[in-house]
Amino acid sequence: MGRLFGTDGVRGVAGRDLTAELAMDLSVAAAHVLGDAGAFDGGGRQSRPVAVVGRDPRASGEFLEAAVVAGLASSGVDVLRLGVLPTPAVAYLTTALEADMGVMISASHNPAPDNGIKFLTRGGYKLPDAVENEIEQRLGEKWERPVGASVGRVREAHDEADRYVSHVLSTVDVRLDGLSVVLDCAHGAAHMVAPEALRRAGATVETIGVRPDGLNINAGVGSTHMDKLRQIVVSRNADVGIAYDGDADRCLAVSHTGEIVDGDQIMAVLAMAMHAEGTLSGDTVVATVMSNLGFKIALKNAGVDVVETAVGDRYVLEAMRAGGYNLGGEQSGHVLLLDHATTGDGLLTSLHLLAVVARQKRPLAELASVMTRLPQVLVNVKGVDRTKASVPELSAAVTAAESELGETGRVLIRPSGTEPMIRVMVEAASAEQAESLAGRLADVVRTACV
């Protein structure tokens, strides 16, 4: 698998790449690394450190959870098994329960055969790259195993899902009475908590994707497959549709007209509302280089600054914490509201989006029209040398394309971090111009980057 840790934990085909043995070894190594780094010294307890463990409903999550729990308990860590809960719920409960670490077993929007493991530090934050590297280096090391009273104990969670739901509901100050919402929970981790939260907030809720069988997660539903949601929203004359991914750390929306409202538009709606209310820290939003140019233009015209980062919610979070900002995210629907969460939270985001709709008494389509989404074309050029993304021939072609676009568009050339591939992204005033320029630049990549 090369480097085990990717941008969001360790992922692979469960049982082949991500085995029970690897899951146990990762948990042992993580416990040793975090323990040696002093991460278990902040709880003020004299007893064993505590970890919370959650998962999404994939069938493989059952054996992987057992392996993770065994690895932690055999390392002298007490474990609280949360069962099936969203990633942001595990992050929140890591803090709320004063746990020393958290573990989430999920492959997010990936198909059911995949699975993944991500570790969280005390406070509910993802591990820094350096800590992940050390965990990899210490896999399989010899260690002195605790025995007797020193081994970790394992307990089942009780009412912790309700604790999380109550938390997200406490962050909004308006009822959703009168709003009709269709929820697509992707047969994933939010299938219980999301409908419960929105109904308690007052919305009339219809659901799809709420019958996980371990094998149907993200299958034709969720934020990567939104056609069914769009059809139901329009046919039911619903006000809003919300789609989560498998672990519910992100969401996308659908307006009453059936139009998809992406992460950029969701951030724009939230940013405008927070800016007007005086709650947007530094009048700044953090977004990645992939956010649509229309998003940046709209916020600039509203007096809101945009700080750009590399692609990946971890980089968004780093910039937000460094700058003291409280709103950021990605076009894919990972939105971080740091006043209330330490990671992207699809349920939290959807509640705050619906709260703006309710508070302003305006349809989502009208709110989302605050930004004009410029046509964006992405071409993945495979089988090339990704290290040659800045060769003179390609740089010259990019300069020419940027000259042609002027201020009405932009070009982004981005090498893949894991594959022999270079991504060409072009935004322009028209789809035809974006497609033409992206095609021409892709042809240059194919000839110049081999």
Side-chain angles (χ1 to χ4, degrees):
M1 294 176 65
R3 183 180 187 269
L4 286 176
F5 284 93
T7 56
D8 205 16
V10 178
R11 285 192 192 173
V13 177
R16 186 179 69 196
D17 303 319
L18 184 54
T19 63
E21 295 87 349
L22 177 58
M24 184 180 293
D25 288 347
L26 281 166
S27 299
V28 169
H32 291 167
V33 169
L34 291 175
D36 291 351
F40 294 163
D41 299 335
R45 13 173 130 77
Q46 302 300 315
S47 57
R48 293 177 296 268
V50 176
V52 294
V53 177
R55 63 180 178 88
D56 71 22
R58 292 165 210 264
S60 61
E62 296 168 3
F63 79 76
L64 289 172
E65 178 192 50
V68 166
V69 170
L72 292 172
S74 67
S75 302
V77 177
D78 286 345
V79 180
L80 179 62
R81 289 171 40 152
L82 302 174
V84 175
L85 277 179
T87 292
V90 175
Y92 166 72
L93 291 169
T94 301
T95 300
L97 299 174
E98 297 185 340
D100 299 284
M101 66 182 291
V103 187
M104 179 65 187
I105 302 164
S106 174
S108 187
H109 59 279
N110 287 24
D114 292 353
N115 216 324
I117 299 174
K118 69 180 81 173
F119 297 99
L120 304 168
T121 64
R122 187 174 181 83
Y125 293 102
K126 294 179 182 179
L127 301 183
D129 289 343
V131 176
E132 291 179 342
N133 290 338
E134 188 174 354
I135 291 172
E136 284 196 35
Q137 292 166 8
R138 295 182 63 174
L139 285 173
E141 70 176 359
K142 292 183 179 180
W143 55 293
E144 185 175 344
R145 300 168 186 268
V147 296
S150 296
V151 302
R153 303 301 297 271
V154 181
R155 294 182 293 120
E156 302 296 323
H158 297 288
D159 301 323
E160 301 308 340
D162 184 71
R163 186 196 297 258
Y164 167 66
V165 170
S166 296
H167 161 67
V168 293
L169 287 172
S170 73
T171 68
V172 291
D173 59 0
V174 63
R175 296 280 299 171
L176 304 183
D177 301 286
L179 279 182
S180 58
V181 182
V182 182
L183 284 187
D184 182 350
C185 297
H187 297 306
H191 74 281
M192 295 281 288
V193 294
E196 168 73 9
L198 266 67
R199 288 184 178 123
R200 281 170 56 178
T204 300
V205 178
E206 180 172 347
T207 59
I208 59 175
V210 292
R211 293 180 173 84
D213 62 12
L215 302 175
N216 61 357
I217 190 168
N218 301 313
V221 289
S223 60
T224 53
H225 304 280
M226 297 185 64
D227 287 346
K228 184 177 181 180
L229 177 63
R230 296 173 66 190
Q231 293 167 5
I232 294 176
V233 167
V234 173
S235 66
R236 301 290 197 276
N237 292 315
D239 294 309
V240 181
I242 299 291
Y244 305 108
D245 63 341
D247 69 335
D249 65 350
R250 63 174 172 167
C251 75
L252 297 177
V254 173
S255 72
H256 73 284
T257 62
E259 294 299 311
I260 293 176
V261 178
D262 69 13
D264 286 341
Q265 292 168 297
I266 291 172
M267 283 193 293
V269 171
L270 295 178
M272 298 294 188
M274 293 169 69
H275 177 63
E277 295 162 4
T279 59
L280 183 64
S281 298
D283 285 324
T284 299
V285 177
V286 179
T288 77
V289 293
M290 290 300 290
S291 277
N292 194 277
L293 181 59
F295 167 78
K296 298 164 189 174
I297 292 172
L299 291 192
K300 179 180 178 182
N301 291 340
V304 175
D305 293 329
V306 176
V307 172
E308 284 192 355
T309 74
V311 175
D313 62 328
R314 67 163 54 202
Y315 304 114
V316 173
L317 177 60
E318 287 174 4
M320 292 176 70
R321 295 181 72 185
Y325 307 124
N326 61 351
L327 176 62
E330 298 184 281
Q331 189 181 72
S332 61
H334 282 110
V335 176
L336 291 96
L337 292 157
L338 286 196
D339 289 337
H340 312 296
T342 58
T343 186
D345 188 330
L347 176 55
L348 180 73
T349 299
S350 60
L351 277 168
H352 280 257
L353 180 66
L354 293 169
V356 177
V357 173
R359 189 181 299 111
Q360 298 191 15
K361 296 180 170 59
R362 297 164 61 194
L364 178 59
E366 181 183 333
L367 291 169
S369 69
V370 70
M371 65 164 277
T372 300
R373 189 166 46 190
L374 297 184
Q376 188 180 80
V377 174
L378 177 64
V379 179
N380 292 322
V381 186
K382 299 181 179 180
V384 296
D385 186 347
R386 65 187 184 190
T387 66
K388 294 185 177 181
S390 57
V391 295
E393 300 96 316
L394 182 55
S395 296
V398 168
T399 299
E402 290 175 336
S403 178
E404 182 177 333
L405 288 169
E407 295 184 359
T408 63
R410 64 182 180 128
V411 175
L412 179 65
I413 306 294
R414 190 166 66 91
S416 168
T418 58
E419 303 175 68
M421 179 170 66
I422 293 177
R423 295 184 171 91
V424 176
M425 191 275 285
V426 177
E427 286 175 342
S430 71
E432 293 78 11
Q433 186 182 26
E435 289 170 1
S436 174
L437 285 175
R440 282 155 46 188
L441 289 169
D443 287 340
V444 175
V445 170
R446 292 186 185 99
T447 59
C449 302
V450 294

